[in-house]
Every structure is written in C-alpha cells, then in structure tokens.
Amino acid sequence: AWLWWDLRTWQPPESEYPEQGADLSGGSGEMNFAVLKGHGADFVYLPATGGEGERSASFTRNLASARAEGLEVGAVHLFDPCVPADGQAANFVTIVPRDADLLPPAIALIDTGEDCLEPVTSGQVRSELTILANQIEAHAGRPAILKLGRKFEETHGVAARIERNLWLVRTRLEPDYGGRPWLIWTANEKYESGASEQPVAWAVVRP
C-alpha cells in the first residue's frame, strides 16, 4: 500500500534529471497546464494523430494553452502498422504545423499489427515506419523520436535497425529493452499531478 501511494507522486530527482515533463499521448482529459508547470514540467508531449485518419480535436487548443504557461511542446503520432506510411504522414502534417519551436516529433509504437486484416511482416513494419519517420521529419525539420513499447520492440526489433533517438517506458526503474541508450524515459506511467482528473505519464530527458 505504501509503495502504491508513493508511486502516485513519484518523480525522478531533479538533481539527476533536470529536464522533466509530461506525456499526454495516452489521454488525460482536460488539462491544467499551469499545474503541470508547478510540478516541475519543462515540456509536454501532446497527442496529435493516429494512423491515417485519427486526429486530436484538442491539439491546437492544448498547444496554445501549454505554450502560454511557458512549456515546450511536442506532438505524438500513434503508428498504425496495418496501413501505409503515406496516409499516416499526410494525416500528421494536416494538424501539426511546420513550426521550428516545436520539440522533435514522436512516433508512438504500441500496436504490433497482430490484428491487421492483411498479415504484415516485421520487415514491412520497419520499412513503413522508416518511410513515415522520413516524411514527418521532412515536415518538422528535425529527426523524430521513436516512443518504443516493449512488446513492439520484442516483436519487430526496431531499435537496432532504425537509427533514431529512443523514448522508452518503465515505471520507477530505468528501462533497458532498447538495447542502447534512451533519450526520453517515461519514469512514472500514472503520475497524480492534480492537473487533470486522470493521471499523466511523467517523463525525463537524459542529461
């Protein structure tokens, strides 16, 4: 019980990880960005798009609200291994502006593609992901970050084959499933910030 309570508000120490922030791509409802800032957030990643048709109705509003509180902002695209990269990239560039002040775009890799109507191989998944990353990067003007889930990595072996910065996830303990150093670590997947009714994911940047 004590461990559960402690994890609700646990953050890695700022002395070790000076740059910290929140990942809202998992969905956290209405957000008070001033409260996030008060908890020590320097940045926030917002959900923007998913696949070739899903778009966040609140992305533009949240982008403006977060910036008004002095937070740096990045956009997250949820990769769909079942559909071609071109449509996914077109979806992303429709809602995310070409803005040099945005943080590097992140591509969330969660769905392994096991339920695709047409079976896909790991080679096909990696190929489409590379195309998507290249097209998003051409729009953003900077390299993308791969927000890599453990199961996705175990299924498709992306980290060793696609040379992009990694964003890994593991509450409390530093993740190692990428096989190489991460850039961003989601250190608490259910951080109770008080900034929304739901927990947020708390992340840190490697110093």
Side-chain angles (χ1 to χ4, degrees):
W2 175 87
L3 181 60
W4 172 82
W5 182 263
D6 180 61
L7 279 177
R8 294 172 72 243
T9 56
W10 181 80
Q11 298 171 268
E14 288 189 17
S15 59
E16 296 180 26
Y17 302 98
E19 191 173 359
Q20 306 198 13
D23 169 27
L24 308 183
S25 63
S28 302
E30 291 295 320
M31 185 62 52
N32 186 323
F33 292 100
V35 172
L36 276 185
K37 181 75 171 178
H39 278 265
D42 303 300
F43 65 87
V44 61
Y45 266 88
L46 303 174
T49 51
E52 60 183 1
E54 182 180 345
R55 300 174 186 173
S56 170
S58 60
F59 176 79
T60 301
R61 181 179 72 252
N62 285 339
L63 171 61
S65 298
R67 281 180 163 174
E69 298 300 334
L71 294 166
E72 293 190 89
V73 183
V76 180
H77 173 82
L78 180 61
F79 176 67
D80 184 346
C82 303
V83 300
D86 289 345
Q88 299 194 59
N91 189 26
F92 182 86
V93 303
T94 297
I95 189 173
V96 179
R98 190 190 299 270
D99 186 339
D101 291 330
L102 283 173
L103 294 172
I107 303 174
L109 306 173
I110 300 172
D111 182 358
T112 62
E114 295 173 359
D115 297 326
C116 295
L117 294 179
E118 295 291 334
V120 292
T121 66
S122 290
Q124 290 172 318
V125 170
R126 292 192 298 266
S127 176
E128 291 299 321
L129 175 57
T130 300
I131 294 170
L132 174 63
N134 289 338
Q135 293 182 350
I136 285 179
E137 289 166 349
H139 175 73
R142 60 187 63 196
I145 300 171
L146 302 183
K147 186 173 184 285
L148 182 59
R150 181 185 292 273
K151 186 176 180 182
F152 194 98
E153 173 60 14
E154 291 173 349
T155 303
H156 298 301
V158 165
R161 294 175 174 86
I162 301 180
E163 194 62 34
R164 297 296 194 284
N165 282 323
L166 297 180
W167 178 345
L168 305 182
V169 179
R170 188 182 184 188
T171 294
R172 197 68 181 245
L173 300 176
E174 183 176 337
D176 58 5
Y177 59 88
R180 56 186 173 89
W182 47 266
L183 175 65
I184 300 178
W185 165 30
T186 294
N188 191 340
E189 298 169 80
K190 295 187 180 297
Y191 178 73
E192 296 280 357
S193 66
S196 67
E197 293 184 357
Q198 302 174 24
V200 303
W202 195 262
V204 300
V205 177
R206 182 179 292 278

